[in-house]
Amino acid sequence: MSMVTSGGTSSHPGRGSAGLERYFQISLFCTLATAFFTLASTGRLDRPSVALFSIVLLSRILVLASGRNWRFSPGAVTALAVCYVFFYPLDLAYLASGQSLVDRMLVATVHLVLFATAVKVLSASTDRDHAYLAVLSLVMMLAAAILTVGAVYLAGFGLYILFAISTLLSYEVRRPFRRVAVPEPGEGTNRSAEKHGSKPVEAALGKTALCLALALIPVAAFLFFLIPRYRSGYWSRLALQPQRITGFTETVDLGDISKILRSNQVVMRITPKGDPGPLEGEKLRGVALANFDGQRWSNGVRGGHLILPASPQQFRPPDFAGLAARPATAVRYRVLLEPVSTEVLFVAGRARQVIAPVRFLLVDRTGSLLDPDRVPGPFAYEVVSDLGLPSARELREDSAGANERVTAEYLELPRLDARIAGLARQITAGSGNDFDRAVSVQDYLQGHYAYTLDLPPVEPTDPVSSFLFQTKRGNCEFFAAAMAVMLRSLRIPARLVNGFEMGTYNPVGKDFVIRGRDAHSWVEVYFPGHGWLPFDPTPAGSETDAGVFRNYLDAAELFWDEWVVNYDFGRQVQLAVAVQTTSRGFDRRFRELRWHFERLGVGRLARLQDWLGDHRLQALAAIIVLLALATLAVRHPAWIAELRAALAWRLAASYGTPSPHAASLAYQRFLRALARSGFEKAPTETPLEFADKLQGAAFRQQVTAFTELYQAMRFGHQAIPIAELETSLRTAVGAPGLLHSRPDREP
């Protein structure tokens, strides 16, 4: 495979032009690399493509940085293109992933585009090629913006802006030099000198690009917070599917939740409005499933009631599903749901009010809240919930008549192993009411069965019986299903609920972080006088500490999601109110500080007045001294300058550290001493020229020695001790030829 190799690029002959060309090409390829890696960070590209294209970009940048410029020849590009014509069908048939032919064709086409881009990177030589690569980098950044809402994009976008500005700046600077032909390396050019001379040019361009990028930050931040975003639109629907979470559809197979329980990915964040204590240990209710066919839970035809807003974006869910009345004080919290493939709104306890930017909500026959118009992307809403539960005494004394609809719907069971009903009767033999029976079943499952995500093989036709009598190990779905089935066999209405545990509280971000591993299943049991109440038969697991670093990282992600991804008109108003409140606070503190200093000043002036009244003679003497010093400063400014110079020298000498500043102070004292003797140094004379002018003077040798010492310390940055410099100064100033014109005091 042939390639074109050279040690320079087309530019104006000279040191700076070669540096401009190399700087431009490095900036361009850094721009393209940043855009590609930002796109790759979305996780939408396959790993082999990411690895191969990364090798192409990094190799090209390393070659440019080394000072050598090589590229594929047109013949090599043609040969590669012909080879890929035969490779494309192979990629389509065997390498490209996808369930259908259309999916595989799409992946194979993406590979083709990446191949063409890689070849262009390795063969670009004209301005048209460079413009093509620049446009391609912009397209990659736009694609990454559509495919992700993560905080990683912010870092990639910042680097992209820096490299893009650097590329455009260097392109404009190098354009005049491109019009002049350049000799090839070896034609009278010195590569080492050219490379050395280009460094200042590259450094200047880099600093300018960095300053321009930093200057854009406040402008971009102002425009960002000034203009609100909207969640709906064409671009939001072009993104690929969000992360899928199982267990929140109309049909759920036992064991499906294990897939999400292994995930550490953040699903949602709960920010309490006030004390987080009431929310600790609560569960976030998702969907309730009523029908069980022996293998899976379902809701059949979900149906539901349409809820229209009582006021803009405020909904009051009805309680026709019979959720338990909650006597505790209402708790308000904000839910920030990550991009997940579910239309469910997760709430804690019984939702009294929901504030969400939607047109309407649905509530199904089990009390689950749904947003049918959900579009891919983060979604934030606020909830006011009642979190209290009736006491055990109240539930034991519940004697209300059974609801016929609930009894008919939530007692149905398929043909199951008869041992399940026998075990339920055995467990609850000593219980005299439905509440104690439910607690007995719950405690028995927690104490006699083990929790695991590594599910053992179960009988597919009767998984509940297999769990209870054979494996005795399973995840939360098996525990919940077993309890619900046993309670129904005892004629107690029960259903399975899928949702999330509250997760861990982050004291840095002041929010609860709910991850995939916090997904959970539990049981709701019906009490005629109180409604549906939660019971959890799954044994408690061990909690893990997130760590300080993880807390700060989660807090940063929360800020990104709240104030970048979900920044809308409501957040804009909230920010304006916060800025106004903060400015009022600063104004109040400033006034308080001013009043404090005013009171302090008035008090000190009063004390000064009292002191002056008691010490009139001392005050008069101090005034006379100050007037005398002021008169001297006006009548004899040279004396004051001499005093200031002497004090500055004493201060510099007291540190004992040699420095150019100390050398300058010593030389100034030296010049003033010579001036008093009639030897004036002209402004255009150098120190050595001034010393040579003193030919014939008796002190010329001492003056020359001090001047050389001064220059070595001042300009040569030699670490000459202060004591040696002061000794040389005294020797030069105290030479015999200067004694007759020096004053008696030491200089």
Side-chain angles (χ1 to χ4, degrees), residues 144-163:
I146 295 174
L147 297 178
T148 184
V149 293
V152 177
Y153 181 81
L154 178 62
F157 183 72
L159 287 177
Y160 180 81
I161 291 296
L162 175 62
F163 289 131

Side-chain angles (χ1 to χ4, degrees), residues 600-612:
L600 183 63
V602 170
R604 293 195 174 183
L605 286 175
R607 289 194 295 272
L608 178 60
Q609 183 179 6
D610 295 338
W611 185 87
L612 291 176

Side-chain angles (χ1 to χ4, degrees), residues 344-420:
V344 176
L345 269 63
F346 298 91
V347 298
R350 175 181 173 181
R352 178 191 297 177
Q353 183 182 18
V354 177
I355 301 97
V358 297
R359 295 181 301 161
F360 61 88
L361 293 177
L362 288 179
V363 56
D364 68 8
R365 59 194 179 96
T366 66
S368 302
L369 292 173
L370 310 171
D371 173 23
D373 285 348
R374 177 79 55 82
V375 297
F379 179 69
Y381 56 95
E382 291 189 8
V383 185
V384 179
S385 294
D386 293 328
L387 300 181
L389 289 174
S391 66
R393 182 182 59 82
E394 292 175 321
L395 295 175
R396 288 189 179 98
E397 297 175 354
D398 189 340
S399 58
N403 185 305
E404 293 183 1
R405 184 189 65 82
V406 173
T407 302
E409 185 175 4
Y410 293 100
L411 291 180
E412 293 182 356
L413 282 175
R415 185 182 299 274
L416 297 173
D417 191 336
R419 293 178 297 174
I420 297 177

Side-chain angles (χ1 to χ4, degrees), residues 308-609:
L308 296 176
S311 58
Q313 299 187 355
Q314 296 192 17
F315 301 84
R316 298 187 180 278
D319 189 30
F320 68 88
L323 295 175
R326 308 294 176 111
T329 304
V331 176
R332 189 185 186 103
Y333 53 92
R334 178 179 174 85
V335 181
L336 178 60
L337 191 63
E338 297 293 330
V340 291
S341 58
T342 180
E343 59 186 20
V344 176
L345 269 63
F346 298 91
V347 298
R350 175 181 173 181
R352 178 191 297 177
Q353 183 182 18
V354 177
I355 301 97
V358 297
R359 295 181 301 161
F360 61 88
L361 293 177
L362 288 179
V363 56
D364 68 8
R365 59 194 179 96
T366 66
S368 302
L369 292 173
L370 310 171
D371 173 23
D373 285 348
R374 177 79 55 82
V375 297
F379 179 69
Y381 56 95
E382 291 189 8
V383 185
V384 179
S385 294
D386 293 328
L387 300 181
L389 289 174
S391 66
R393 182 182 59 82
E394 292 175 321
L395 295 175
R396 288 189 179 98
E397 297 175 354
D398 189 340
S399 58
N403 185 305
E404 293 183 1
R405 184 189 65 82
V406 173
T407 302
E409 185 175 4
Y410 293 100
L411 291 180
E412 293 182 356
L413 282 175
R415 185 182 299 274
L416 297 173
D417 191 336
R419 293 178 297 174
I420 297 177
L423 178 62
R425 289 191 297 271
Q426 176 186 343
I427 295 171
T428 61
S431 303
N433 55 76
D434 287 349
F435 173 76
D436 288 336
R437 293 185 185 96
V439 172
S440 297
V441 174
Q442 173 184 267
D443 295 343
Y444 181 84
L445 290 173
Q446 290 179 351
H448 292 78
Y449 295 84
Y451 178 83
T452 181
L453 292 179
D454 300 320
L455 299 178
V458 296
E459 179 61 39
T461 58
D462 195 353
V464 174
S465 177
S466 181
F467 164 72
L468 287 174
F469 302 108
Q470 296 177 16
T471 64
K472 296 188 177 182
R473 293 184 297 120
N475 60 29
C476 55
E477 275 185 330
F478 283 92
F479 282 88
M483 180 175 179
V485 168
M486 284 195 287
L487 290 179
R488 288 190 178 189
S489 70
L490 297 172
R491 308 300 296 172
I492 300 175
R495 62 191 182 193
L496 185 138
V497 180
N498 281 347
F500 288 89
E501 292 182 312
M502 190 52 70
T504 56
Y505 182 71
N506 181 1
V508 179
K510 301 186 184 306
D511 67 321
F512 291 92
V513 182
I514 290 87
R515 304 180 184 276
R517 63 171 182 258
D518 296 317
H520 195 55
S521 295
W522 61 94
V523 177
E524 284 184 347
V525 181
Y526 185 75
F527 294 88
H530 295 83
W532 293 95
L533 290 171
F535 286 80
D536 190 357
T538 305
S542 59
E543 297 184 359
T544 57
D545 186 8
V548 177
F549 177 76
R550 179 74 254 183
N551 287 337
Y552 279 100
L553 185 59
D554 284 335
E557 292 176 355
L558 174 64
F559 177 83
W560 169 265
D561 290 338
E562 286 280 28
W563 292 100
V564 177
V565 178
N566 280 279
Y567 183 75
D568 54 10
F569 182 74
R571 281 294 184 185
Q572 190 178 28
V573 173
Q574 182 179 349
L575 179 63
V577 172
V579 170
Q580 183 181 21
T581 303
T582 304
S583 63
R584 288 178 177 175
F586 277 122
D587 183 63
R588 183 179 63 255
R589 285 192 291 271
F590 176 76
R591 289 197 303 268
E592 292 175 353
L593 187 63
R594 186 188 63 188
W595 294 335
H596 170 72
F597 280 111
E598 287 179 355
R599 291 193 299 268
L600 183 63
V602 170
R604 293 195 174 183
L605 286 175
R607 289 194 295 272
L608 178 60
Q609 183 179 6

